[in-house]
């Protein structure tokens, strides 16, 4: 049984870079006080993955109260030790028996694990917050961004003994809607054209490692190692690696189309998206063109966004300072800038905006923990 | 007087990578036969820059006939020697006296050099093909993509003794319109929403060097050197470095808006653009959403693009193989893929496409040389 160790080259991306998920709880900086008898018992499924590690980071950062915490992962990782908030835990293998007495389970271990174990956990009375796409479009499962549609969770509460499934939306959808929703509430979005600039992290920690490795190889004049992605990622961009459907959209793009309709409870909102991977570590960017029912001036939009929860406006035209993936890495807030009246739409009924958000944090772990907080 | 030498790390980007402009004419692989008494006398202004070097490459590749060729650059580069098609040349300082007897001058030395010396050359009877933005929106100057609007050059011919200015469009505009124009001719584009993924090369050879240097530094855990760009470019993306205007658009975006109208001779076409730099060496990508007056099925669009000059379709949904900047680097053709009916527009009146083109080649040098070919 080995302790979890930091991945290779951990120091490299500190400071100016894209910190990758490091198993940072091996040596915590401080002991937090969130272990409390009155808190729920929680479980983290997929705890050794990029998002799993970020679940722990966010739980700790936000002093999430818990009576106990179970660290669950695949058989391969079972037995490894990790220290969280000053206490040592042994990673346990995920089985159908894992959920007895667990109040809240945060899942991020891929769609097939969620499909298999999510309903088992819910049947045992656990409220599952699932980061996969397994249940997102299931009409009985709420799909929630706490700042956007908290009402979708109506009726799901701790202490009732009743389990439930709650789905965490796709990262690109969350980041887009954090910025678009406050504007939508004001002027009603009729149509949205999105182009994404997506980070390696969305494909997991191994993809982040591959981007780093490839970049070293290319700089050394060697052929790039392609395992996670089938083509060179270093110094290149490519259409998102999700499967392409018969309508020509890839699955990532269709998530944005369909999840937006569900989250906004608006089956008529028109969305198109083009999802592209860029050689960036852990934060997504999105160029979003909005078409509104009512006029919305860019100054009003900027004020609305400045007051929106979880959103920060970075929009300094003079200094050419706008959001970048690097600037939002490891941050909770989604940053919005390049807020301007769309010249191609009349009557102030269009806006262009540029949005950046940390894919692992608000795009996944933070949003899930915020959902869990609403249960308390 | 030093010979031009290959830049540091030249070998690094061969094969799998983003070849930067190397002063490749120091040791040509073969002697071409395009030096001929019946050809025009030509001059290359800014010959030591990224585009200047590519001018030479393209002239040679296309066997462009010339009686003589003058290599012009700033005082700083004057006196350097370079070998082109087996003959050695000394780089001369650009002055007002440089253009006597020059039939065609290819300019790529920045807007202020073009503004100063372009009219001087034209007055002396030289036909100037200018790669800067200096004259693009001058209504007396044609703005030309040979595959798109050759008719704009009507009346400009060699051998008349009359000089002229012809403007080469912005690289992003050229790459976008190479794909959009054949569709526009078929179904009339009413509105276009563009998001770009722009390479370092658009900011010159020094920017490409900076991206490489920064990437090395970040991988070594050192702070990135920011000289050309004011922020980290390695493993990051940012809003285009062009100045932002009072309407919130940056100059690069407004070039796309205005140049499209001029090239298509359609003052009503509506264009919006968001221009973003990505850490890629020499080819741009663009996500383009099109809104048409008439219905256009994606299959028809694909056929139209397959038959369009200078365009190659890479659109294999099953293999998830679509255009990438790397795949089009050092290539003449603009690649188009992700051709699909836009779900957010009714009646088959919308399409999404993804376009990639070599910024230095079709985005600059090739297009200019094609313009020069039309003069022959």
């Amino acid at each position: 049984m080995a302790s979890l160790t930091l991945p290779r080259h951990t120091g490299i991306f500190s400071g100016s870079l894209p910190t990758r998920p490091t198993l940072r709880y091996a040596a915590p900086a401080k002991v937090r006080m969130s272990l409390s008898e009155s808190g729920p018992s929680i479980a983290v499924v997929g705890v050794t993955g990029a998002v799993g590690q970020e679940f722990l980071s966010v739980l700790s950062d936000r002093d999430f109260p818990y009576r106990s915490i179970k660290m669950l992962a695949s058989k391969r990782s079972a037995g490894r030790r990790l220290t969280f908030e000053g206490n040592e835990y042994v990673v346990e293998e995920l089985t159908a028996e894992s959920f007895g007495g667990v109040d809240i389970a945060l899942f991020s271990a891929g769609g097939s694990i969620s499909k298999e174990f999510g309903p088992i956990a819910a049947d045992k009375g656990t409220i599952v917050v699932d980061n996969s796409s397994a249940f997102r479009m299931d009409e009985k499962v709420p799909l929630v961004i706490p700042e956007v549609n908290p009402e979708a969770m109506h009726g799901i509460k701790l202490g009732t003994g009743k389990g439930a499934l709650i789905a965490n939306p796709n990262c690109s959808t969350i980041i887009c809607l954090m910025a678009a929703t406050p504007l939508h509430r004001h002027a009603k979005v009729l149509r949205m054209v999105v182009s994404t600039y997506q980070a390696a992290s969305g494909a997991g920690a191994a993809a982040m490692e591959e981007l780093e490795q490839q970049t070293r190889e290319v700089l050394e004049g060697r052929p790039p190692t392609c395992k996670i992605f089938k083509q060179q990622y270093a110094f290149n961009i490519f259409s998102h690696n999700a499967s392409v459907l018969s309508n020509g959209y890839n699955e990532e793009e269709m998530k944005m189309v369909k999840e937006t309709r569900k989250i906004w409870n608006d089956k008529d909102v028109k969305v198109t998206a083009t999802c592209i991977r860029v050689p960036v570590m852990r934060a997504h960017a999105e160029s979003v063109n909005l078409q509104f029912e009512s006029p919305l001036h860019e100054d009003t939009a900027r004020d609305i966004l400045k007051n929106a929860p979880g959103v920060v406006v970075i929009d300094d035209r003079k200094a050419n300072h706008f959001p970048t993936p690097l600037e939002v890495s490891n941050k909770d807030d989604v940053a919005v800038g390049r807020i301007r009246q769309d010249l191609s739409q009349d009557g102030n009924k269009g806006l262009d905006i540029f949005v950046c958000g940390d894919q692992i944090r608000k795009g996944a772990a933070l949003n899930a923990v915020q959902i869990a907080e609403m249960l308390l």
Side-chain angles (χ1 to χ4, degrees), chain A residues 15 87 101 103 149 184 207 230 235 252 277 290 292 346 373:
Chain A
N87 294 306
D103 298 315
N149 63 334
H184 176 57
K230 60 170 189 136
F235 300 103
E252 182 79 1
R277 287 240 187 252
L290 297 159
F292 298 101
D346 295 329
E373 285 173 346

Side-chain angles (χ1 to χ4, degrees), chain A residues 98-352:
Chain A
S98 296
F99 299 98
V102 172
D103 298 315
I104 300 173
L106 304 173
F107 271 63
S108 188
S112 57
I113 296 291
S114 292
K115 270 185 190 145
E116 183 177 354
F117 292 98
I120 291 172
D123 280 348
K124 295 207 171 156
T126 303
I127 298 177
V128 172
V129 184
D130 181 35
N131 192 49
S132 82
S133 61
F135 305 107
R136 285 183 191 146
M137 296 313 297
D138 183 330
E139 58 182 29
K140 295 185 296 294
V141 175
L143 181 66
V144 179
I145 305 171
E147 293 88 344
V148 172
N149 63 334
E151 69 283 358
M153 282 173 60
H154 181 74
I156 304 180
K157 277 279 165 230
L158 280 179
T160 63
K162 253 183 75 181
L165 293 167
I166 304 169
N168 210 35
N170 174 260
C171 48
S172 303
T173 312
I174 293 174
I175 292 164
C176 178
L177 296 193
M178 282 296 291
T181 304
L183 306 176
H184 176 57
R185 285 186 186 131
H186 195 275
K188 196 174 195 308
V189 171
L190 297 178
R191 179 171 177 249
M192 198 154 62
V193 179
V194 185
S195 295
T196 70
Y197 304 70
Q198 293 186 233
S201 58
M208 299 166 82
E209 291 284 340
E210 181 159 306
L211 173 57
E212 184 188 331
Q213 184 187 350
Q214 280 196 9
T215 307
R216 289 180 190 281
E217 289 165 341
V218 168
L219 287 173
E220 288 162 12
R222 290 186 286 140
T225 304
C226 299
K227 282 185 199 162
I228 306 289
F229 300 114
K230 60 170 189 136
Q231 58 196 317
Q232 183 176 324
Y233 194 6
F235 300 103
N236 199 18
I237 72 167
F238 51 82
S239 187
H240 194 284
N241 48 298
S243 299
V244 181
L245 307 167
S246 60
N247 66 358
Y249 283 71
N250 63 43
E251 285 175 352
E252 182 79 1
E253 292 159 355
M254 285 312 295
K255 286 173 186 173
M256 297 195 76
V257 172
K258 291 179 177 174
E259 293 178 18
T260 299
R261 290 183 197 145
K262 177 165 175 175
I263 293 167
W264 280 357
N265 190 25
D266 177 358
K267 66 177 175 29
D268 297 323
V269 63
K270 293 175 186 302
V271 178
T272 186
T274 298
C275 289
I276 305 293
R277 287 240 187 252
V278 297
V280 160
M281 282 292 167
R282 61 171 287 157
H284 287 352
E286 304 182 28
S287 165
V288 183
N289 178 270
L290 297 159
Q291 189 171 334
F292 298 101
E293 186 175 74
S294 316
L296 179 57
H297 192 275
E298 61 179 37
D299 293 339
T300 311
R302 201 173 291 107
D303 285 343
I304 289 169
L305 290 167
K306 278 180 182 166
N307 291 306
V311 173
V312 61
V313 171
I314 304 177
D315 202 29
D316 186 342
R317 293 175 179 181
K318 211 165 185 173
N320 207 326
H321 181 206
F322 303 109
T324 69
L326 205 54
E327 194 162 349
V328 302
S329 288
N330 298 297
K331 302 274 173 64
D332 285 352
D333 288 342
V334 165
V336 191
R338 302 299 321 276
I339 303 160
R340 61 204 190 279
Q341 217 73 53
D342 172 4
L343 291 175
S344 75
Q345 294 185 66
D346 295 329
N348 283 353
K349 288 190 174 176
L351 282 177
D352 280 304

